[in-house]
Amino acid sequence: ADVYDLPPRSPFGFDPSFDAKIGYRTKSMLCAPLLSRAGDVIGVIQLINKKRDVEKRIQSSTDADDVVVPFDERSEELLMTLASQAGIALENAILYAEINRMLEGFVRASVEAIEQRDPTTSGHSRRVAELTVGLARAVERVDHGAFGKVTWTKDDLRELEYASLLHDFGKIGVREEVLVKAKKLFSHELEIIRLRFDFALRTAEADVLRRKLHMIEKGCRKEDLAALDDELAARHAEIESAFEAIIAANEPTVLKGGDFARIEAIARETYSSMRGETHPFLKQEEVKCLSVTRGSLTPTEIDEIRSHVTHTFEFLLQIPWGKQFRRVAHIAGSHHERLNGTGYPNRLHAEEIPLQSKMMSIADIFDALTAADRPYKRAVPVERALDILNLEVKDQHVDGDLVQIFIDARVWDALTDQPKSMRFSA
């Protein structure tokens, strides 16, 4: 009835500091616990000062004595009914927040798993998410043209962020050696070729020594032995020159036609095994790898890399995203589609590709060009990256209006961790 006049053995106490601070007078009070479904106390609901007349204001202790009355049993019944509903509502809110935290944690852990699988592209997923969401906000600011009426809800942007963060998750299903392949040949393949060439050299040396011994037994001239030494030196130089050509061809650069001819000529060279069998210096699979015209991957390995989009879609499709994020799998699974239908995995055309995926494509290309952590290429400056994006527009790969919005808004300036190639851009 009066918190300032509690019974002597009351288990409760009252802190009057709030009243003292604001000049109020708390008198009657009714408190009820907010319970979860399991009966755990998760909060408290508190009513203060039941009034005789709700219009009266309490401005002093005298007012409190005149206006305030104790809470009755009816008040208690009403409050307990309210508390039971409020407890359920509060528990639902807590569970919703926990689910959101769990979802956030899952997405972040998934991104970390991707980057651990492919450390050469560390930070790529996060930067693509920032660039894509930044472009989406820039699109929303446009008040004319094809995107003049585009608006996003908070959930739309969060859905886009999740799809962007997880757009490369399918790399989990790609062999790690292919993901991080920096040269046309894997290191162990080049080592096998080196051992093969060394064996060919030792075979040539053994052959010359055998012939020398035979000639000495016949009493040959000194000049004849010198000729064999010259022959061995020439063979040694020839084999070393061939291996140097292989080293050069192994770099992921654009090869000229003559480079292919040199590799093919080396492949036709042979050596003899210990059993006298003849073997080529290069196997056909090695020739195929060294003859890659662009980058470091063979067509088969490119197909394997591209399969990550399908893996991403199938993985994300298994997650019960709920209604608000139901398009995550489709957005992420379409970021390598191209407007003219030459993209993958489904060769969708412009009208079939989600707007969110079109924006992600631009962000993905831009970051891949400007990132300085790729083993197979150098980072390019922003100006060059934008030129390449415009070439992609001409080839009908990406949307020209979106690229222009991306450029006009300078979306990359908002990146929290800009690649070095972007930090000194005018």
Side-chain angles (χ1 to χ4, degrees), residues 189-389:
E189 293 176 325
L190 185 62
E191 181 63 22
I192 288 172
I193 294 174
R194 175 74 265 184
L195 293 173
R196 192 182 301 151
F197 275 49
D198 288 344
F199 181 81
L201 279 173
R202 296 295 178 267
T203 301
E205 290 173 357
D207 180 62
V208 168
L209 288 173
R210 180 183 56 76
R211 290 161 60 191
K212 270 187 175 183
L213 181 60
H214 182 69
M215 292 172 68
I216 290 172
E217 289 175 347
K218 288 187 174 183
C220 67
R221 297 176 303 165
K222 186 177 181 180
E223 293 80 3
D224 294 331
L225 296 176
L228 285 177
D229 290 335
D230 292 340
E231 178 184 332
L232 179 60
R235 182 59 174 164
H236 189 282
E238 180 183 337
I239 292 176
E240 285 301 324
S241 174
F243 189 73
E244 289 173 4
I246 291 171
I247 293 293
N250 193 39
E251 293 298 320
T253 56
V254 177
L255 291 180
K256 301 176 182 178
D259 295 324
F260 294 119
R262 178 77 169 112
I263 294 300
E264 290 171 357
I266 293 172
R268 290 192 293 270
E269 294 271 347
T270 61
Y271 69 97
S272 296
S273 69
M274 295 290 289
R275 295 189 296 270
E277 299 170 342
T278 300
H279 297 282
F281 271 23
L282 291 175
K283 297 179 179 179
Q284 281 304 307
E285 189 59 35
E286 294 164 346
V287 173
K288 182 180 179 181
C289 292
L290 292 169
S291 299
V292 169
T293 58
R294 183 179 181 183
S296 61
L297 301 176
T298 65
T300 301
E301 290 166 342
I302 290 175
D303 287 342
E304 185 174 351
I305 288 287
R306 287 181 172 179
S307 72
H308 83 275
V309 183
T310 301
H311 294 321
T312 295
F313 176 76
E314 292 175 348
F315 168 75
L316 296 180
L317 204 60
Q318 302 301 313
I319 298 172
W321 292 99
K323 184 178 180 180
Q324 62 187 137
F325 305 136
R326 65 189 182 279
R327 296 168 296 183
V328 166
H330 293 279
I331 294 170
S334 301
H335 76 280
H336 276 299
E337 300 290 352
R338 298 294 176 252
L339 303 187
N340 60 2
T342 60
Y344 59 91
N346 297 314
R347 294 188 172 273
L348 301 180
H349 287 80
E351 63 279 5
E352 301 171 297
I353 305 172
L355 173 58
Q356 297 95 322
S357 303
K358 293 176 182 178
M359 295 188 297
M360 196 191 305
S361 295
I362 294 170
D364 189 42
I365 294 170
F366 180 83
D367 187 69
L369 291 169
T370 56
D373 50 10
R374 304 297 174 98
Y376 45 81
K377 72 161 192 65
R378 294 179 180 177
V380 302
V382 169
E383 291 77 9
R384 176 59 180 153
L386 298 180
D387 289 340
I388 294 173
L389 275 176

Side-chain angles (χ1 to χ4, degrees), residues 49-115:
N49 287 350
K50 178 179 174 66
K51 299 179 182 178
R52 300 178 192 275
D53 183 350
V54 296
E55 300 297 329
K56 296 280 186 168
R57 294 176 61 84
I58 301 173
Q59 297 178 334
S60 67
S61 297
T62 303
D63 292 336
D65 291 337
D66 294 339
V67 175
V68 177
V69 296
F71 288 95
D72 53 19
E73 291 186 4
R74 178 59 177 163
S75 298
E76 185 175 342
E77 290 175 3
L78 290 173
L79 183 61
M80 292 305 293
T81 301
L82 176 62
S84 65
Q85 297 299 317
I88 294 172
L90 179 58
E91 183 179 25
N92 287 340
I94 292 172
L95 290 174
Y96 183 76
E98 288 178 350
I99 289 171
N100 279 333
R101 286 195 297 272
M102 183 173 64
L103 182 58
E104 289 282 347
F106 162 75
V107 172
R108 303 296 170 185
S110 298
V111 172
E112 185 176 343
I114 299 168
E115 295 187 347

